[in-house]
Coordinates of all heavy atoms in Angstrom, one line a residue:
A115 N 78.4 122.1 95.9 CA 79.2 122.9 95.1 C 79.7 124.1 95.8 O 80.9 124.5 95.7 CB 78.5 123.3 93.8
F116 N 78.8 124.7 96.6 CA 79.2 125.9 97.4 C 80.3 125.5 98.4 O 81.3 126.2 98.6 CB 78.0 126.4 98.2 CG 78.3 127.5 99.2 CD1 78.6 128.8 98.8 CD2 78.4 127.1 100.6 CE1 78.9 129.7 99.8 CE2 78.8 128.1 101.5 CZ 79.0 129.4 101.1
Q117 N 80.1 124.3 99.1 CA 81.1 123.9 100.1 C 82.4 123.6 99.4 O 83.5 124.0 100.0 CB 80.6 122.6 100.8 CG 79.4 122.9 101.7 CD 78.6 121.6 102.0 OE1 78.6 120.6 101.3 NE2 77.9 121.6 103.2
R118 N 82.4 123.0 98.3 CA 83.6 122.7 97.5 C 84.4 124.0 97.2 O 85.6 124.2 97.4 CB 83.3 121.9 96.3 CG 84.6 121.5 95.5 CD 84.2 120.6 94.2 NE 83.3 119.6 94.5 CZ 82.0 119.5 94.1 NH1 81.5 120.5 93.3 NH2 81.2 118.5 94.4
H119 N 83.6 125.0 96.7 CA 84.2 126.3 96.4 C 84.8 127.0 97.6 O 85.9 127.5 97.5 CB 83.1 127.2 95.8 CG 83.6 128.6 95.5 ND1 84.4 128.9 94.5 CD2 83.3 129.8 96.2 CE1 84.7 130.2 94.5 NE2 84.0 130.8 95.5
M120 N 84.1 127.0 98.7 CA 84.6 127.6 100.0 C 85.9 126.9 100.4 O 86.9 127.5 100.8 CB 83.6 127.5 101.1 CG 82.4 128.4 100.9 SD 82.8 130.2 100.7 CE 82.6 130.4 99.0
N121 N 86.0 125.6 100.3 CA 87.2 124.8 100.6 C 88.3 125.1 99.7 O 89.5 125.3 100.2 CB 86.9 123.3 100.6 CG 86.0 122.9 101.8 OD1 86.0 123.6 102.8 ND2 85.4 121.7 101.7
L122 N 88.1 125.2 98.4 CA 89.2 125.5 97.5 C 89.6 127.0 97.6 O 90.8 127.3 97.5 CB 88.7 125.3 96.0 CG 88.5 123.8 95.7 CD1 87.8 123.6 94.3 CD2 89.8 123.0 95.8
A123 N 88.7 127.9 97.7 CA 89.0 129.3 97.7 C 89.5 129.8 99.1 O 90.4 130.7 99.1 CB 87.8 130.2 97.3
F124 N 89.0 129.3 100.2 CA 89.3 129.8 101.5 C 89.8 128.8 102.5 O 89.9 129.1 103.7 CB 88.1 130.5 102.1 CG 87.6 131.6 101.2 CD1 86.4 131.4 100.4 CD2 88.2 132.8 101.2 CE1 86.0 132.4 99.6 CE2 87.7 133.9 100.3 CZ 86.6 133.7 99.6
D125 N 90.0 127.5 102.1 CA 90.4 126.4 103.0 C 89.4 126.4 104.2 O 89.9 126.4 105.3 CB 91.8 126.6 103.4 CG 92.4 125.3 104.0 OD1 91.9 124.2 103.7 OD2 93.4 125.4 104.8
A126 N 88.1 126.4 103.9 CA 87.1 126.5 104.9 C 87.0 125.3 105.8 O 86.5 125.4 106.9 CB 85.8 126.8 104.3

Side-chain angles (χ1 to χ4, degrees):
F116 171 80
Q117 291 163 334
R118 185 177 313 112
H119 174 74
M120 292 299 103
N121 287 339
L122 291 172
F124 302 103
D125 197 25

